Amino acid sequence: MASAGNALSVFEQALSVIQNNVDNASTPGYARQQLNLEALPLDVASGLVGGVTSAGLDNSRDPYAEEAVQIQTQALGFYTAQAQSTGTIQSLFDVTSTSGVSAALNNLFQSFSAWSTTPSDATAQQNVLNAAANVGQAFQSLSNSLSQTAGQIDGQIGSTVSEINALASQIQQYNVQRSQSSQADPGLDAQLYGALQSLSQLTNFSTVTQSDGTVTVLLAGGTPLVIGTQQNVLSSNTFVSTDPPPVYGQSMPTAHVLDSQGNDITAQITGGQLGGLLDSRNRVLAGILGDSQQQGTLNQLAQGLADTVNQILESGTVSTDPGAANGAPLFTYDTTNPATAASTLALNPDITPAELAPVDAEGNANGNANALAALENPSGTQGTIDGVSYLQYFGQIAAGAGQENQTATANEQAQQQITTQAESLRDQVSGVSLDQEATAMLQFQQAYQATAQVLTVLSNLGQDLMNLIVPM
Amino acid sequence: MPAADPIRLIDHARSCLQDALQQWSAADLNCVNECRSLLEQSVADVTVAIELLSTEAAVISTELPPMIVSLRRDISNMIRLVDACSAFQRGWWLCRGEGTPPYDASGQTVPEAGDQPARSVLG
């Protein structure tokens, strides 16, 4: 009677586990449970009555598979955030040449060209000033729009850090409860893995399960996010980095993530949504607008254009008359701070049309005006940056932003598939023993390798095709 | 097999490749094998296209370069996908396996592995 009663109790537990599995089939992070049954020895002479007893709960979670999915999810979070933010950056560059910096530069060069044919014509002179004012406005407008985008990304970084802290808090709470219990709780376990899965969309990390069942979460560089019952609360901020010492002290601040001690751990965040946002903010945007170590391509262009035009005008005179005044600079910008050249570029407020100097230093009547008109398609090094004209250089900046977005979008699409497949493989191997799965795994591995070999051939053929249309 | 026109051949090769990318299901052996067949069709198409483009009379259309760039991008994506799945399986085996895993140092299965029961492979 006793053994039968015990067996009934154990089978009731088993039914309860099955019911729990059914109830939680859709619960995020839940893994199927299985109650292990163990036969009890039967020896009537010794008073051992036999029957069955519970030998503990097993779940179908495979730690390796879970981690593999988390790694792929981190990459997906990175590319998704990168694609969204570079999409915003890209949209600020008008590639139709009907407005913005490109159109303003075109109009300026046209005004130089018209002025070169009638250097003393007041209308032509005024048109040059108007076009220069528009160039200044276009640079300032683009620079301001990019700075606003930087501010938006900073806000997203802040909210992502808050989400990370909230999830870290959940994990810390799990650790508190887990450390007070000698056995794993399926419900708690599901909450933990749900939180880890959500966290993997936001940042890159690894986990270590301690002997007491608590989970340590480490950011990629080893900075702990959660250790036992301790949480390292992160924060975000923007400032001009002083390590290494700034070359451009008054540059646009970059975004940083700090640990609870105030240590800068930005470099450790290379995955997840936070990694993607930081990359767009501190690499892509900083490449255009500058930071403590670089002037920024847009500032380089603004300064290059202003310096060249001003140097040509100031080297000449306003007429061929003896003793004629030297020309006035057409543009102004904050020369003490080259990393803000684009946001401060403007028409010289003191210049008058008559102060434009069409005569070059050798006394040629419209030598300067011709030199300025020639900046549209320069033949020498004057009027170029990295060997290309100012218009082409701006085209390169715009194309670079577009390329960043195209690459990020393509990576996002590819990574979406990889993540989906990792989830599928996780489901395939979870709860399966090596003995059960070994033969099938070998068949899959061989099928993958055969596919990889076909792909190698296809890749080589793709290279051959490329060589045919672009001979080396 | 499309008509012997490089553009149509490459278009068809890319179509097969994209079908393989879309249909790929790492946990379905039949699907993996079907995807390989699609990739083999891509190989056949591109091989013929190269032969046609290698003749002296061949004219390189301006349509071709962007098509080839797209084709190569899809190949690259497919390689990433298959590599990721293969790496997952190898990693799982190494984490769960006992003794020597049935892979050599380059990650390839040992030649006779497929013909043997799992236990004998594991030793």
Side-chain angles (χ1 to χ4, degrees), chain A residues 3-317:
Chain A
S3 72
N6 189 42
L8 278 174
S9 166
V10 170
F11 283 119
E12 194 178 328
Q13 283 180 51
L15 279 172
S16 168
V17 169
I18 291 167
Q19 183 62 47
N20 202 31
N21 286 340
V22 173
D23 290 347
N24 288 287
S26 303
T27 303
Y30 184 79
R32 188 168 42 83
Q33 310 288 316
Q34 181 180 328
L35 184 70
N36 292 321
L37 303 180
E38 195 173 275
L40 292 171
L42 172 64
D43 185 352
V44 180
S46 308
L48 297 172
V49 294
V52 291
T53 188
S54 160
L57 275 173
D58 273 349
N59 71 35
S60 61
R61 196 182 310 285
D62 185 295
Y64 166 79
E66 294 291 343
E67 192 177 347
V69 170
Q70 284 166 10
I71 289 169
Q72 301 301 351
T73 307
Q74 289 164 18
L76 179 60
F78 180 92
Y79 291 132
T80 302
Q82 201 186 38
Q84 285 172 352
S85 47
T86 55
T88 306
I89 296 168
Q90 177 205 23
S91 69
L92 299 176
F93 288 88
D94 180 11
V95 291
T96 61
S97 296
T98 56
S99 65
V101 170
S102 188
L105 284 174
N106 268 318
N107 289 339
L108 178 66
F109 294 131
Q110 282 171 17
S111 74
F112 284 147
S113 183
W115 177 50
S116 71
T117 60
T118 54
S120 52
D121 180 68
T123 305
Q125 291 170 341
Q126 185 60 50
N127 285 344
V128 169
L129 266 54
N130 292 344
N134 286 338
V135 166
Q137 285 169 6
F139 269 93
Q140 286 188 31
S141 173
L142 178 56
S143 180
N144 289 341
S145 297
L146 289 165
S147 293
Q148 283 173 11
T149 301
Q152 288 164 7
I153 296 175
D154 292 340
Q156 291 170 356
I157 288 170
S159 56
T160 305
V161 166
S162 297
E163 285 181 65
I164 290 171
N165 285 334
L167 289 167
S169 174
Q170 287 179 26
I171 296 166
Q172 180 252 346
Q173 285 300 313
Y174 165 87
N175 282 348
V176 169
Q177 295 182 53
R178 186 68 183 82
S179 63
Q180 293 165 354
S181 167
S182 58
Q183 277 194 333
D185 176 317
L188 265 183
D189 207 37
Q191 284 174 28
L192 169 70
Y193 276 89
L196 289 173
Q197 185 63 24
S198 299
L199 187 63
S200 65
Q201 290 166 20
L202 303 180
T203 188
N204 50 322
F205 66 91
S206 59
T207 57
V208 180
T209 303
Q210 306 296 344
S211 56
D212 61 357
T214 62
V215 172
T216 298
V217 182
L218 301 165
L219 295 174
T223 298
L225 192 59
V226 181
I227 288 189
T229 57
Q230 300 295 311
Q231 179 189 353
N232 187 358
V233 178
L234 306 183
S235 61
S236 65
N237 204 347
T238 57
F239 52 83
V240 176
S241 178
T242 53
D243 183 21
V247 178
Y248 300 99
Q250 301 297 311
S251 60
M252 180 181 72
T254 43
H256 299 265
V257 177
L258 311 174
D259 69 9
S260 57
Q261 306 296 311
N263 300 310
D264 192 338
I265 57 165
T266 312
Q268 296 180 25
I269 315 290
T270 55
Q273 181 175 305
L274 186 57
L277 289 169
L278 286 168
D279 179 78
S280 299
R281 176 67 171 81
N282 293 346
R283 184 181 62 83
V284 180
L285 263 178
I288 300 169
L289 285 180
D291 60 21
S292 69
Q293 299 301 312
Q294 58 186 330
Q295 185 183 5
T297 50
L298 194 64
N299 294 315
Q300 209 181 342
L301 174 60
Q303 184 184 13
L305 173 74
D307 286 354
T308 303
V309 169
N310 289 348
Q311 184 269 321
I312 290 171
L313 288 171
E314 289 178 294
S315 69
T317 54

Side-chain angles (χ1 to χ4, degrees), chain A residues 284-456:
Chain A
V284 180
L285 263 178
I288 300 169
L289 285 180
D291 60 21
S292 69
Q293 299 301 312
Q294 58 186 330
Q295 185 183 5
T297 50
L298 194 64
N299 294 315
Q300 209 181 342
L301 174 60
Q303 184 184 13
L305 173 74
D307 286 354
T308 303
V309 169
N310 289 348
Q311 184 269 321
I312 290 171
L313 288 171
E314 289 178 294
S315 69
T317 54
V318 296
S319 76
T320 53
D321 296 341
N326 277 85
L330 185 60
F331 289 110
T332 60
Y333 66 92
D334 182 359
T335 53
T336 63
N337 190 7
T340 60
S343 62
T344 57
L345 184 71
L347 173 70
N348 175 6
D350 300 326
I351 192 172
T352 62
E355 288 177 305
L356 284 172
V359 184
D360 68 17
E362 282 75 44
N364 298 310
N366 57 355
N368 269 358
N370 282 333
L372 290 171
L375 292 178
E376 185 172 9
N377 294 300
S379 53
T381 55
Q382 189 179 46
T384 65
I385 299 174
D386 295 342
V388 297
S389 72
Y390 296 138
L391 267 170
Q392 288 170 328
Y393 191 73
F394 181 74
Q396 285 183 4
I397 298 172
Q403 184 64 46
E404 287 283 355
N405 180 245
Q406 197 177 21
T407 304
T409 305
N411 280 333
E412 182 193 9
Q413 288 169 354
Q415 189 59 39
Q416 179 64 66
Q417 277 183 306
I418 292 172
T419 306
T420 303
Q421 295 304 317
E423 288 167 351
S424 168
L425 287 167
R426 175 190 61 186
D427 296 344
Q428 183 196 30
V429 302
S430 290
V432 174
S433 74
L434 190 63
D435 286 349
Q436 284 174 298
E437 197 65 3
T439 307
M441 291 289 277
L442 274 177
Q443 287 174 339
F444 273 106
Q445 194 59 231
Q446 285 167 347
Y448 295 160
Q449 281 174 24
T451 307
Q453 283 169 3
V454 178
L455 278 168
T456 302

